[in-house]
């Protein structure tokens, strides 16, 4: 078979989750909560089903939901997106990302991504006959070197993909980062795909700067977001996309033939649930408690951290515990200690090993306390 993605392996998330099951390990690898959703949200979906909202929703999404999204975005960024023409409800953020890339990227184009990069970007780019060009971020801060970005831009560059708050590092792009991104996009006539799925999960008084908040950036950006990440419902695969009308028209041309529309009763539920802003504005404090509990479990060990600034992931430097390649060390932790994490070299340029693992702390207190007990037992293996 002549594969379209000959160099794309099985996702590391699938690999580590399978390994966790096989070894009955605590799974702090794949990014999903192990606690239940708000019972009220559950009831809203059930009510919509009983009411009969079980057939196709409108192609761009339920208007009532798009109106609530527009209000939410305006309150957070100050930009008004037209619910009719500039917002589309999607089957999760990954579908939105794939659709945006398919709509705007052509064969022979180049797309800049920042490594470590979430693993859905590159395959989506390559399936369009385009080339993903990775700009490596340096551990442990994972800040963007804009001089290096300039060096990677060519006459073929068509798009830049950014992710803030950033998975896996938890780093946030600053206001100056966003302004520089806007300058580059304008100077080189580039589209920007801004992956903002962790938009509401920000810690320590920091600010999430959306592409929507910057005039020159918003006009050439497609923004993707996730209800699954926001409301602990990753299995629902519900997200949304924001873009100026002209870009959204191109997005919808692909969207309508990829999924057409997405889950109707869940859209009804989310439209009602979003009417109370505290349900998402309180997320930072909610997850910061979990982050801090996880960090407490690392105290007194040889693992080193810079506290995550956002997302529900924490990067951990294990270089004073082991000099193994991170994939091997992650396997060792899972098989020998019963704790699964994600090795981050798989997201890096040329599989660069920074001796960093990514742990998900979107877990119950009991799970995080169990993880801490395991971590405290891990002794340096430097020989």
């Amino acid at each position: 078979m002549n594969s379209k993605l000959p160099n794309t392996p099985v996702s590391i998330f699938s690999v580590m989750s399978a390994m966790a099951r096989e070894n009955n390990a605590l799974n702090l690898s794949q990014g999903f909560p192990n606690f239940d959703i708000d019972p009220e949200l559950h009831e809203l979906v059930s009510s919509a089903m009983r009411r009969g909202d079980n057939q196709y929703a409108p192609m761009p999404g339920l208007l009532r939901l798009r109106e609530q999204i527009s209000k939410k975005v305006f309150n957070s960024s100050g930009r008004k997106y037209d619910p009719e023409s500039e917002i589309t409800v999607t089957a999760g953020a990954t579908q939105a990302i794939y659709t945006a890339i398919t709509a705007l990227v052509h064969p022979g184009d180049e797309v800049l991504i920042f490594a470590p990069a979430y693993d859905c970007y590159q395959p989506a780019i390559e399936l369009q006959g385009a080339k993903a060009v990775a700009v490596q971020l340096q551990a442990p801060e994972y800040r963007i070197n804009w001089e290096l970005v300039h060096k990677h831009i060519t006459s073929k560059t068509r798009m830049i993909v950014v992710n803030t708050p950033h998975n896996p590092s938890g780093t946030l792009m600053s206001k100056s980062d966003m302004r520089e991104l806007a300058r580059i996009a304008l100077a080189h006539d580039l589209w920007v795909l801004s992956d903002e799925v962790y938009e509401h999960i920000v810690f320590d008084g920091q600010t999430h700067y959306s592409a929507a908040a910057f005039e020159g950036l918003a006009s050439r950006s497609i923004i993707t977001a996730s209800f699954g990440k926001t409301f602990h419902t990753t299995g629902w695969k519900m997200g949304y996309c924001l873009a100026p009308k002209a870009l959204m028209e191109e997005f919808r041309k692909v969207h309508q033939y990829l999924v057409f529309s997405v889950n109707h009763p869940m859209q009804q539920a989310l439209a009602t649930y979003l009417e109370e802003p505290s349900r998402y504005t309180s997320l930072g404090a909610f997850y910061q408690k979990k982050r801090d509990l996880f960090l407490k479990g690392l105290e007194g060990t040889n693992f080193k951290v810079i506290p995550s600034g956002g997302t529900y992931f924490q990067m951990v430097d294990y270089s004073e515990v082991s000099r193994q390649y991170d994939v091997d060390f992650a396997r060792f932790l899972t098989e020998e200690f019963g704790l699964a994490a994600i090795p981050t070299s798989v997201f890096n340029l040329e599989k660069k090993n920074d001796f960093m693992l990514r742990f998900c702390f979107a877990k119950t207190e009991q799970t995080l306390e169990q993880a801490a007990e395991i971590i405290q037992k891990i002794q340096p293996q430097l020989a």
Side-chain angles (χ1 to χ4, degrees):
M1 179 183 293
N2 185 16
S3 173
K4 286 189 174 182
L5 294 171
N7 301 314
T8 301
V10 175
S11 166
I12 189 63
F13 305 111
S14 297
V15 170
M16 293 310 302
S17 286
M19 193 180 299
R21 288 192 299 272
E22 291 167 5
N23 291 275
N24 196 30
L26 284 183
N27 189 359
L28 270 62
S29 59
Q30 194 166 359
F32 59 84
N34 71 338
F35 45 84
D36 207 355
I37 68 172
D38 184 344
E40 184 173 347
L41 184 54
H42 187 286
E43 177 54 33
L44 286 170
V45 175
S46 299
S47 178
M49 290 180 177
R50 290 193 299 267
R51 193 169 58 240
D53 296 320
N54 299 306
Q55 308 310 320
Y56 293 123
M59 182 270 286
L62 197 69
L63 180 58
R64 192 166 69 93
L65 176 54
R66 286 180 279 146
E67 288 172 343
Q68 287 297 326
I69 293 169
S70 181
K71 291 177 184 178
K72 180 176 79 73
V73 174
F74 179 77
N75 289 338
S76 62
S77 73
R79 180 164 300 279
K80 175 72 173 178
Y81 283 87
D82 185 347
E84 290 279 4
S85 61
E86 298 182 322
I87 300 172
T88 299
V89 182
T90 63
T94 300
Q95 183 248 310
I97 290 165
Y98 182 86
T99 302
I101 291 171
T102 302
L104 299 179
V105 174
H106 298 269
D109 287 344
E110 293 179 354
V111 178
L112 293 190
I113 62 176
F114 293 94
Y118 187 59
D119 64 351
C120 81
Y121 303 152
Q122 184 168 337
I125 294 163
E126 292 176 351
L127 283 169
Q128 314 316 315
K131 180 182 179 182
V133 177
V135 179
Q136 182 66 50
L137 305 177
Q138 299 302 316
E141 293 87 2
Y142 296 98
R143 298 289 179 186
I144 296 175
N145 180 335
W146 290 106
E147 290 185 9
L148 196 58
V149 174
H150 281 280
K151 292 178 181 178
H152 282 77
I153 294 174
T154 72
S155 60
K156 294 181 179 181
T157 307
R158 184 172 180 85
M159 176 184 280
I160 298 180
V161 181
V162 296
N163 175 208
T164 184
H166 180 249
N167 175 14
S169 73
T171 298
L172 280 68
M173 291 179 67
S174 66
K175 185 181 291 187
S176 62
D177 284 328
M178 301 305 285
R179 287 174 173 164
E180 183 62 23
L181 176 62
R183 282 192 287 269
I184 289 175
L186 181 62
H188 297 278
D189 192 23
L190 306 178
W191 303 125
V192 173
L193 175 55
S194 187
D195 178 357
E196 302 182 17
V197 298
Y198 299 100
E199 58 183 327
H200 299 297
I201 307 176
V202 177
F203 311 133
D204 302 320
Q206 297 188 71
T207 300
H208 162 63
Y209 292 104
S210 171
F214 299 83
E215 185 66 36
L217 192 53
S219 64
R220 53 184 59 245
S221 293
I222 289 185
I223 299 169
T224 60
S226 168
F227 291 120
K229 299 296 192 295
T230 299
F231 296 131
H232 327 310
T233 56
T234 60
W236 287 14
K237 296 301 293 179
M238 296 291 292
Y240 63 90
C241 177
L242 311 169
K245 182 178 179 180
L247 290 183
M248 188 56 75
E249 287 175 351
E250 296 305 307
F251 181 93
R252 288 179 179 176
K253 288 177 184 178
V254 177
H255 173 79
Q256 68 180 338
Y257 293 114
L258 189 59
V259 295
F260 182 72
S261 65
V262 302
N263 193 292
H264 190 174
M266 290 176 181
Q267 290 192 60
Q268 292 283 4
L270 288 165
T272 300
Y273 200 69
L274 283 171
E275 291 174 357
E276 176 46 66
S278 65
R279 287 167 172 154
Y280 51 86
T281 58
S282 62
L283 275 179
F286 173 78
Y287 276 116
Q288 184 167 333
K289 289 180 180 178
K290 293 182 179 296
R291 182 205 66 175
D292 292 348
L293 181 59
F294 180 74
L295 293 179
K296 185 178 180 181
L298 295 170
E299 291 178 358
T301 73
N302 288 75
F303 293 99
K304 297 182 293 183
V305 297
I306 294 177
S308 173
T311 76
Y312 45 55
F313 302 114
Q314 177 64 55
M315 295 283 267
V316 176
D317 180 339
Y318 68 88
S319 61
E320 294 184 5
V321 178
S322 173
R323 301 304 291 180
Q324 284 182 288
Y325 187 58
D326 64 356
V327 174
D328 297 326
F329 187 62
R331 181 181 296 109
F332 170 75
L333 282 187
T334 306
E335 294 176 346
E336 300 299 324
F337 286 90
L339 181 63
I342 292 292
T344 58
S345 66
V346 296
F347 308 126
N348 281 336
L349 190 62
E350 298 179 349
K351 301 293 186 284
K352 180 175 180 283
N353 182 29
D354 291 320
F355 301 97
M356 303 287 277
L357 298 180
R358 189 202 77 173
F359 291 86
C360 175
F361 53 81
K363 308 297 177 184
T364 63
E365 288 187 7
Q366 181 183 10
T367 299
L368 294 174
E369 288 167 354
Q370 288 177 323
E373 290 177 5
I374 294 171
I375 289 169
Q376 291 291 330
K377 296 175 183 177
I378 300 170
Q379 298 300 315
Q381 308 278 329
L382 297 175

